Amino acid sequence: MRKTVTYLHVRAISACSTRGVLTCGPLSLPCALGRSGRNFLKKEGDGRSPVGIWSLRQIYYRNDRIVRPLSKIPVSPIRKGWGWCETAGDRNYNRRVNLPYATAHEDLKRPDGLYDIVVETSHNQRPRIQGRGSAIFFHIARKGFAPTAGCIAVTLRDMQKVLRYCSTKTRLVIWPPNGAAPRVLRK
């Protein structure tokens, strides 16, 4: 296991960019961003990646497709019937739920491979505000780094490299379009 990093930095050239660079220690890797770029005030369904500093809480992975990722973040295989609630107003909004579920949700056992490894972030969890965005994950990118719905995505190979540097103390920093350091990073 490598030495852990404190921050994963995500930067892009403009507010509307759907591609960026994720920096992890000595690694600089291409990544996909939300289809509408980045913004401070995330709203459900806006397609923006939320600017801010987010904890990496839990790694979920498809144990029927890949081997367990190496990391100092808690790792769990995705179980059949696990989903993530995306319905603002629902009592389980932005939480893992069991499927079938009556309102809009993500199925964590996706057939397309995007969630072969998916990392839960702390975005909109404490406090959890209805309508401020759900299911903001760090996950596997589509071919050609097609934009996400607001998540950050890298290739499977790069994800496996990055997670080796991560612990529960690692933070995902999505930088604002002006490039000014978030307050907690300023010295």
Side-chain angles (χ1 to χ4, degrees), residues 22 43 98:
L22 181 139
K43 293 179 185 167
N98 293 316

Side-chain angles (χ1 to χ4, degrees), residues 35 39 42 68 79 84 104 125 133 146-147 167 170 186:
R35 68 179 176 274
N39 198 356
K42 172 80 180 142
R68 179 186 176 95
R79 307 275 185 236
W84 202 271
Q125 289 195 349
S167 74
T170 302
R186 293 183 193 148

Side-chain angles (χ1 to χ4, degrees), residues 61-68 77-80 108-111 115-116:
Y61 76 104
R62 291 286 302 264
N63 66 347
D64 58 328
R65 293 187 177 178
I66 63 170
V67 298
R68 179 186 176 95
I78 297 172
R79 307 275 185 236
K80 183 178 180 179
L108 292 182
K109 215 157 193 181
R110 292 176 66 129
Y115 290 178
D116 281 2

Side-chain angles (χ1 to χ4, degrees), residues 47-65:
R48 295 182 187 269
S49 297
V51 169
I53 301 170
W54 315 111
S55 299
L56 303 176
R57 301 211 168 206
Q58 177 79 36
I59 299 168
Y60 300 105
Y61 76 104
R62 291 286 302 264
N63 66 347
D64 58 328
R65 293 187 177 178

Side-chain angles (χ1 to χ4, degrees), residues 10 22 31-34 49 137-140 148 150-154 172 174:
V10 175
L22 181 139
C31 65
L33 305 169
S49 297
F137 298 134
F138 178 36
H139 64 75
I140 307 305
T148 69
C151 300
I152 303 300
V154 297
L172 177 67
I174 302 174

